Structures are given as C-alpha cells and as structure tokens.
Amino acid sequence: MSKATSLFATLFAISAAVTSTSALADKPDWRYVEGGYTKLDFDNNESFEPDGFAASGKYLLNSNWYLNGEYSFFEEGNFDFDMLTVGAGYRLPVNSTTDAYFGANLERVDGDIDDDNGYSVNAGLRSMVTEQIELAGEVGYYDVDGGEATIKVGANYYITPQWAVGASYELINELDVMQVTARYAF
C-alpha cells in the first residue's frame, strides 16, 4: 500500500470517526499558538533529513473567518532554510464537535541556495472526538516552485482545556513533514 493510499485511508477513518463523536466533547479551538520539533524526510535522499523547530497559530476573527500563520526553521550541517505560511480561511461547523475549513495561504521558502514564493490552498476536518482528543485531516495543493497535492493528518491531546500536546504528518509528493508540538489555546 502506497503512502498516499495509507493517508487517504486514515483521512477516511477520521471522517468516519467524526460522525460518531461523544456528546460531551467540545468544538475545536480556533485561537491558539503552538510550537515544537519538526523534521523533513525526502524520499529520494536519505542522507539529507533536516530538522528544526516550528511555531504556528490560528486566530478566529468572528464565528467563521480565521487567520493563520506558521514559521519553520530547518538545518542540517551548514545548510539551513526557513518556511513561512501566512493566510486566512473559513470555518464551517459540521456538528457540535466537528468543523470543516477551507483556507488560502501565501508561502515563502528562504534558503541558503534559493528563495521562492508561492501559495497553498487546503480543506479539512477538525473534530473533538472526546473532551481531550482532537483529530484532524486535510487535503490541499502547495505551489512553491512546482505544484504538489498535499495530505495531512494530526492529533492533539488536551492535558487541560488550554494545554495540549500533538503530532502531525504531512505528505507533499516525495517530502514528508513530521511535527511534535505543544499548544496553548486562549
């Protein structure tokens, strides 16, 4: 089974899970900041796997519109680069515990060798399957020096109503992006 097929199966499982959510769970938080460890894995280059840190956040402007941003720094050896995402989107409640969303972003990659600008669009689901567990799935299109379809899955475990730890995995063609984060919701 290919990575894309596995991720589609995972996304389908997340979609199925949101239809049977707990009545006690809340809506996903749309006002938060988070940061943590991130790593890139290039399928065709096992000797180059840069890692670093990422910081991101979302801010709900009203009941539906949100702003988002993410900054990531990667390095390996003497090579380093930054990735910046700034955008906005629309949140649409599906039921009492699940939101669908659609977003558009400006993208910037700034490296030692080259700098590129582009855009991305995405659509996904976020669901509080219990009071403490949030699952998310997303599909999108990322175009910085050549467009690629993207698939992302993630989960957060809320230790308290404000603090959570999470992990995510994103596939962009032959590039895997993995993150482990801590989140503060306000």
Side-chain angles (χ1 to χ4, degrees), residues 11-22 97-98 127-129 135:
L11 186 57
F12 178 77
I14 289 170
S15 298
V18 300
T19 62
S20 61
T21 57
S22 166
T97 60
T98 304
S127 183
M128 295 300 297
V129 295
L135 297 179

Side-chain angles (χ1 to χ4, degrees), residues 9-160:
T10 302
L11 186 57
F12 178 77
I14 289 170
S15 298
V18 300
T19 62
S20 61
T21 57
S22 166
L24 300 174
D26 233 347
K27 286 201 153 300
D29 286 311
W30 286 90
R31 289 184 177 129
Y32 65 83
V33 293
E34 65 185 2
Y37 173 78
T38 186
K39 181 176 181 176
L40 294 179
D41 181 16
F42 294 89
D43 288 346
N44 59 357
N45 189 349
E46 303 230 355
S47 64
F48 183 68
E49 295 181 349
D51 63 353
F53 69 88
S56 66
K58 288 196 183 328
Y59 186 78
L60 193 63
L61 296 170
N62 57 34
S63 61
N64 296 100
W65 292 97
Y66 66 87
L67 300 175
N68 65 275
E70 181 172 351
Y71 171 79
S72 300
F73 173 79
F74 298 93
E75 71 177 340
E76 182 163 321
N78 293 329
F79 181 76
D80 63 67
F81 63 98
D82 304 292
M83 295 175 72
L84 178 66
T85 302
V86 178
Y90 188 81
R91 162 197 167 271
L92 182 65
V94 173
N95 61 34
S96 63
T97 60
T98 304
D99 291 339
Y101 64 92
F102 311 92
N105 307 292
L106 298 174
E107 303 285 350
R108 170 106 175 130
V109 176
D110 185 11
D112 291 338
I113 298 170
D114 196 15
D115 301 333
D116 282 310
N117 294 313
Y119 72 95
S120 66
V121 292
N122 52 45
L125 290 172
R126 294 179 58 205
S127 183
M128 295 300 297
V129 295
T130 71
E131 287 183 354
Q132 294 177 297
I133 299 173
E134 175 187 350
L135 297 179
E138 178 181 290
V139 294
Y141 183 78
Y142 182 86
D143 190 351
V144 176
D145 192 32
E148 303 292 341
T150 66
I151 301 169
K152 184 176 182 177
V153 294
N156 284 289
Y157 178 79
Y158 280 83
I159 301 163
T160 71

